[in-house]
């Protein structure tokens, strides 16, 4: 039997105009999702804004929970979950993320795919993803099927409903870092 370890799924709602528009259409509590390799949220990856003040310049990002877009929206509300995976699956996730990192300049945000998903039509594009499409595909390619939906139709809430996720935290993202540091002290 393989050794197990955890990865982390971070769901968030920043309150930006873009997230409010998604929320108004879907009614979902969370409009963004990221994958993290550590509980301290030092390595967090997704598809989103490349620059905090421009929602249209978007693509593959390593998110910084203390700076950048999250700093611009200090009232970002979030939920954090852990997911127990086999060590080989975690290595596969790291490899998949590494592929995105090594060619990050090629990737853009799948605005068109996000739009077609509203009509239940997946639109996979080789170098374009939206956040939940990215997380779903990385997990799927690593042997973790969190939903029966096509990655191009998967929402953050679809991933949140995966029964194997273990709840860690709900609250303001900027307060999570404080609570983790308090646990260490």
């Amino acid at each position: 039997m393989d050794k197990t370890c955890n990865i982390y799924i971070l769901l968030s709602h920043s309150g930006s105009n873009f997230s409010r528009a998604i929320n108004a259409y879907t009614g979902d509590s969370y409009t963004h999702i990221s994958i993290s390799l550590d509980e301290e949220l030092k390595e967090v990856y997704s598809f989103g804004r490349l620059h905090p003040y421009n929602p249209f310049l978007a693509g593959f990002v390593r998110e910084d929970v203390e700076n950048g877009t999250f700093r611009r929206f200090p009232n970002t509300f979030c939920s954090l979950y852990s997911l127990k995976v086999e060590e080989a699956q975690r290595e596969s996730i790291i490899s998949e993320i590494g592929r995105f990192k090594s060619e990050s300049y090629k990737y853009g945000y799948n605005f068109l795919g996000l739009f077609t998903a509203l009509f239940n039509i997946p639109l996979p594009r080789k170098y374009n993803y939206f956040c939940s499409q990215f997380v779903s595909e990385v997990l799927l390619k690593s042997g973790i099927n969190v939903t029966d939906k096509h990655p191009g139709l998967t929402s953050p809430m679809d991933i949140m409903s995966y029964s194997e996720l273990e709840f860690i935290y709900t609250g303001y993202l900027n307060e999570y870092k404080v609570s983790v540091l308090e646990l260490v002290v």
Side-chain angles (χ1 to χ4, degrees):
M1 182 173 184
D2 279 344
K3 182 179 174 188
T4 61
C5 46
N6 288 325
I7 60 160
Y8 301 87
I9 303 295
L10 177 66
L11 294 109
S12 59
H13 179 70
S14 68
S16 69
N17 289 334
F18 190 60
S19 69
R20 285 191 310 222
I22 292 171
N23 174 262
Y25 182 81
T26 64
D28 292 343
S29 302
Y30 296 104
T31 56
H32 184 67
I33 191 165
S34 314
I35 189 167
S36 179
L37 301 175
D38 60 279
E39 189 172 4
E40 293 80 23
L41 304 178
K42 292 179 181 171
E43 281 195 74
V44 181
Y45 301 96
S46 192
F47 268 71
R49 294 173 187 228
L50 297 173
H51 303 286
Y53 290 91
N54 189 337
F56 300 106
L57 283 176
F60 175 74
V61 290
R62 179 173 179 175
E63 296 175 323
D64 184 336
V65 298
E66 295 176 342
N67 296 298
T69 302
F70 288 126
R71 185 177 188 143
R72 177 155 185 260
F73 298 100
N75 292 325
T76 297
F77 200 77
C78 73
S79 282
L80 181 65
Y81 293 86
S82 66
L83 177 61
K84 191 173 295 299
V85 298
E86 295 175 4
E87 198 169 285
Q89 290 172 314
R90 186 175 193 280
E91 291 304 316
S92 178
I93 290 167
I94 291 169
S95 177
E96 282 297 312
I97 291 171
R99 182 174 57 84
F100 282 91
K101 285 167 62 173
S102 69
E103 298 181 323
S104 62
Y105 62 93
K106 291 182 178 180
Y107 290 97
Y109 195 87
N110 193 1
F111 289 105
L112 188 55
L114 187 61
F115 178 75
T116 63
L118 298 175
F119 300 99
N120 206 34
I121 302 168
L123 184 64
R125 299 171 66 208
K126 186 172 183 178
Y127 294 109
N128 293 270
Y129 292 80
F130 49 85
C131 63
S132 51
Q133 179 183 20
F134 163 74
V135 171
S136 179
E137 188 165 304
V138 165
L139 293 173
L140 192 59
K141 285 187 173 186
S142 301
I144 304 162
N145 189 9
V146 296
T147 179
D148 291 334
K149 289 186 176 182
H150 184 282
L153 297 176
T154 302
S155 74
M157 300 304 285
D158 292 328
I159 296 171
M160 183 180 168
S161 65
Y162 183 53
S163 64
E164 299 297 315
L165 292 180
E166 292 186 31
F167 174 78
I168 294 176
Y169 172 82
T170 290
Y172 292 107
L173 181 57
N174 61 6
E175 292 176 3
Y176 174 72
K177 289 297 277 187
V178 172
S179 65
V180 168
L181 293 175
E182 287 173 354
L183 292 174
V184 174
V185 175

